[in-house]
Amino acid sequence: MNYLFPFISSFPIKFLGSLLTQVTLCLLALNLIGCASQESVPTPVIEPLPVATVEDESLKKEIDRLEKIIAEKDKIIRDQQVKQNTQAQTLQEVNKEAVRTQVKLHRLATKSSTASAIAETEVSLERLKQAQIPAADQILRVQAHHLVETASVLFTQDQFAAAMNYIAQAKQLIDLITHPSRKKTVDDNNSFFEFNTPIQLHTKTNVNIRTAPNANAKIITLLKKDTKVSANASLGSWLRVQHDQNQGWVFNTGLEARGNNTP
C-alpha cells in the first residue's frame, strides 16, 4: 500500500478526480444492480375453486333428467319409424298378393267355365221357381235371379272374373234357400250379405223398421201393410230396407215380392 501512494501521487490531480468519479459511478451501478436482484418476486395469486351449491346440484339433476327423457323420446321415434317402415313393406306385399290373386282369378275365369257356372245357376233357380218355398225365400230367390242377370251381362262384355263373382253370390243365396238349417248358422255368425241390386218389395202386414237386426232393437218407424220398400242387404232372417228417408231392419216374413219383381 505504501508503494501505491507514491504511484498514485505521480498522477496529476485532475486525472485522479476523473478516476475517482468513474469508480464511484461503477460502485453505485453495482449497488443498484444488487438491490434489484434482491427484490422479491411477487407470489402468484391462486383463486379458490368454486364450491358447488345446493341449487347447482338440483340444476344438474334436472338437466340429467331432461337428457334422459330426450333419449327415451328419440328411441320411441326410431322404433315408430321402424314399425311404420315394416307396415309399409307389409302393405306393399299385401297389395302385390292381391294383384296376383286378381290376375289368377282372371286367368281361371275362362269363357267356358263362366258360361257353365251361369247355366248351372239358372237351372237351380228354375227349380226353385217351380217349388213351393216360403215368401222370405222368394225374396232371396229374386235377388239370386238379379245376380245371375248381372253376371250374364258381364259375360257378354268378356268380364268373366266379375261375372263369376256375381254367380258365387247367387249360389250362396240358393244354398240358403235349399238348406234352411243354415239360416240359423248365418244368424249366429252375423254373416252380412249386401245386395248388388236392390229388390223392390211390399209389406205383407204392418211391420216395424228397427235400428238393428234384432227383435229387441229400437223401432225407427212403423210401416203399414202394402207399403213399398227397397231391400239392399240381408243378415240371416232379417232384411235391411229403405223407405223414404228411413233405413233399418225388417224380419223377412213381413215382406214379399210382387209383380215384375217375381221373375
Side-chain angles (χ1 to χ4, degrees), residues 5 20 22 26 70 109 119 170 198 216 218-219:
F5 283 108
L20 289 173
Q22 293 179 1
C26 290
I70 293 174
N216 296 321
K218 181 180 178 181
I219 297 175

PDB file of all heavy atoms in Angstrom, residues 5 20 22 26 70 109 119 170 198 216 218-219:
ATOM      1  N   PHE A   5       0.800   4.647  -2.849  1.00  0.00           N
ATOM      2  CA  PHE A   5       0.666   6.105  -2.728  1.00  0.00           C
ATOM      3  C   PHE A   5       1.692   6.826  -3.577  1.00  0.00           C
ATOM      4  O   PHE A   5       1.353   7.809  -4.233  1.00  0.00           O
ATOM      5  CB  PHE A   5       0.786   6.532  -1.247  1.00  0.00           C
ATOM      6  CG  PHE A   5      -0.478   6.251  -0.463  1.00  0.00           C
ATOM      7  CD1 PHE A   5      -0.501   5.226   0.459  1.00  0.00           C
ATOM      8  CD2 PHE A   5      -1.593   7.032  -0.654  1.00  0.00           C
ATOM      9  CE1 PHE A   5      -1.622   4.965   1.179  1.00  0.00           C
ATOM     10  CE2 PHE A   5      -2.701   6.761   0.081  1.00  0.00           C
ATOM     11  CZ  PHE A   5      -2.766   5.738   0.995  1.00  0.00           C
ATOM     12  N   LEU A  20     -11.602   8.803  -9.768  1.00  0.00           N
ATOM     13  CA  LEU A  20     -12.438   8.559  -8.604  1.00  0.00           C
ATOM     14  C   LEU A  20     -13.916   8.666  -8.960  1.00  0.00           C
ATOM     15  O   LEU A  20     -14.761   7.925  -8.452  1.00  0.00           O
ATOM     16  CB  LEU A  20     -12.074   9.568  -7.497  1.00  0.00           C
ATOM     17  CG  LEU A  20     -10.706   9.352  -6.825  1.00  0.00           C
ATOM     18  CD1 LEU A  20     -10.396  10.498  -5.874  1.00  0.00           C
ATOM     19  CD2 LEU A  20     -10.698   8.012  -6.091  1.00  0.00           C
ATOM     20  N   GLN A  22     -15.330   7.918 -11.852  1.00  0.00           N
ATOM     21  CA  GLN A  22     -15.736   6.719 -12.593  1.00  0.00           C
ATOM     22  C   GLN A  22     -15.879   5.535 -11.664  1.00  0.00           C
ATOM     23  O   GLN A  22     -16.816   4.734 -11.788  1.00  0.00           O
ATOM     24  CB  GLN A  22     -14.705   6.419 -13.682  1.00  0.00           C
ATOM     25  CG  GLN A  22     -14.665   7.468 -14.782  1.00  0.00           C
ATOM     26  CD  GLN A  22     -13.611   7.140 -15.844  1.00  0.00           C
ATOM     27  OE1 GLN A  22     -12.930   6.108 -15.752  1.00  0.00           O
ATOM     28  NE2 GLN A  22     -13.453   8.041 -16.829  1.00  0.00           N
ATOM     29  N   CYS A  26     -19.262   3.356 -10.925  1.00  0.00           N
ATOM     30  CA  CYS A  26     -19.314   1.900 -11.068  1.00  0.00           C
ATOM     31  C   CYS A  26     -19.833   1.245  -9.804  1.00  0.00           C
ATOM     32  O   CYS A  26     -20.660   0.315  -9.849  1.00  0.00           O
ATOM     33  CB  CYS A  26     -17.929   1.360 -11.407  1.00  0.00           C
ATOM     34  SG  CYS A  26     -17.389   1.807 -13.088  1.00  0.00           S
ATOM     35  N   ILE A  70     -85.247 -37.006 -23.259  1.00  0.00           N
ATOM     36  CA  ILE A  70     -84.999 -36.803 -24.688  1.00  0.00           C
ATOM     37  C   ILE A  70     -84.492 -38.083 -25.338  1.00  0.00           C
ATOM     38  O   ILE A  70     -84.905 -38.460 -26.444  1.00  0.00           O
ATOM     39  CB  ILE A  70     -83.998 -35.647 -24.881  1.00  0.00           C
ATOM     40  CG1 ILE A  70     -84.632 -34.318 -24.446  1.00  0.00           C
ATOM     41  CG2 ILE A  70     -83.537 -35.573 -26.333  1.00  0.00           C
ATOM     42  CD1 ILE A  70     -83.683 -33.150 -24.456  1.00  0.00           C
ATOM     43  N   ALA A 109    -110.975 -67.720 -64.605  1.00  0.00           N
ATOM     44  CA  ALA A 109    -112.334 -67.448 -65.061  1.00  0.00           C
ATOM     45  C   ALA A 109    -112.355 -67.354 -66.588  1.00  0.00           C
ATOM     46  O   ALA A 109    -112.397 -66.274 -67.165  1.00  0.00           O
ATOM     47  CB  ALA A 109    -112.846 -66.153 -64.436  1.00  0.00           C
ATOM     48  N   ALA A 119    -125.059 -71.193 -66.500  1.00  0.00           N
ATOM     49  CA  ALA A 119    -126.101 -72.149 -66.886  1.00  0.00           C
ATOM     50  C   ALA A 119    -126.530 -73.004 -65.703  1.00  0.00           C
ATOM     51  O   ALA A 119    -127.731 -73.256 -65.496  1.00  0.00           O
ATOM     52  CB  ALA A 119    -125.583 -73.028 -68.025  1.00  0.00           C
ATOM     53  N   ALA A 170    -124.925 -65.493 -56.023  1.00  0.00           N
ATOM     54  CA  ALA A 170    -126.225 -66.113 -56.319  1.00  0.00           C
ATOM     55  C   ALA A 170    -126.290 -67.530 -55.754  1.00  0.00           C
ATOM     56  O   ALA A 170    -127.307 -67.945 -55.178  1.00  0.00           O
ATOM     57  CB  ALA A 170    -126.464 -66.120 -57.824  1.00  0.00           C
ATOM     58  N   PRO A 198    -130.679 -53.679 -55.501  1.00  0.00           N
ATOM     59  CA  PRO A 198    -131.776 -53.629 -54.527  1.00  0.00           C
ATOM     60  C   PRO A 198    -133.037 -54.305 -55.076  1.00  0.00           C
ATOM     61  O   PRO A 198    -133.304 -54.278 -56.280  1.00  0.00           O
ATOM     62  CB  PRO A 198    -131.991 -52.128 -54.306  1.00  0.00           C
ATOM     63  CG  PRO A 198    -130.679 -51.502 -54.673  1.00  0.00           C
ATOM     64  CD  PRO A 198    -130.144 -52.335 -55.803  1.00  0.00           C
ATOM     65  N   ASN A 216    -135.297 -56.948 -30.298  1.00  0.00           N
ATOM     66  CA  ASN A 216    -135.278 -56.030 -29.165  1.00  0.00           C
ATOM     67  C   ASN A 216    -134.681 -54.667 -29.519  1.00  0.00           C
ATOM     68  O   ASN A 216    -134.568 -53.790 -28.654  1.00  0.00           O
ATOM     69  CB  ASN A 216    -134.477 -56.632 -28.010  1.00  0.00           C
ATOM     70  CG  ASN A 216    -135.124 -57.907 -27.476  1.00  0.00           C
ATOM     71  OD1 ASN A 216    -136.352 -57.998 -27.376  1.00  0.00           O
ATOM     72  ND2 ASN A 216    -134.302 -58.890 -27.139  1.00  0.00           N
ATOM     73  N   LYS A 218    -134.242 -50.891 -31.170  1.00  0.00           N
ATOM     74  CA  LYS A 218    -135.132 -49.728 -31.164  1.00  0.00           C
ATOM     75  C   LYS A 218    -135.902 -49.628 -32.479  1.00  0.00           C
ATOM     76  O   LYS A 218    -135.356 -49.844 -33.556  1.00  0.00           O
ATOM     77  CB  LYS A 218    -134.315 -48.450 -30.938  1.00  0.00           C
ATOM     78  CG  LYS A 218    -135.148 -47.187 -30.882  1.00  0.00           C
ATOM     79  CD  LYS A 218    -134.262 -45.981 -30.662  1.00  0.00           C
ATOM     80  CE  LYS A 218    -135.107 -44.699 -30.650  1.00  0.00           C
ATOM     81  NZ  LYS A 218    -134.254 -43.496 -30.458  1.00  0.00           N
ATOM     82  N   ILE A 219    -137.183 -49.273 -32.383  1.00  0.00           N
ATOM     83  CA  ILE A 219    -138.036 -49.136 -33.563  1.00  0.00           C
ATOM     84  C   ILE A 219    -137.863 -47.737 -34.166  1.00  0.00           C
ATOM     85  O   ILE A 219    -137.967 -46.728 -33.458  1.00  0.00           O
ATOM     86  CB  ILE A 219    -139.515 -49.368 -33.199  1.00  0.00           C
ATOM     87  CG1 ILE A 219    -139.716 -50.803 -32.694  1.00  0.00           C
ATOM     88  CG2 ILE A 219    -140.422 -49.099 -34.396  1.00  0.00           C
ATOM     89  CD1 ILE A 219    -141.130 -51.075 -32.192  1.00  0.00           C
TER      90      ILE A 219
END
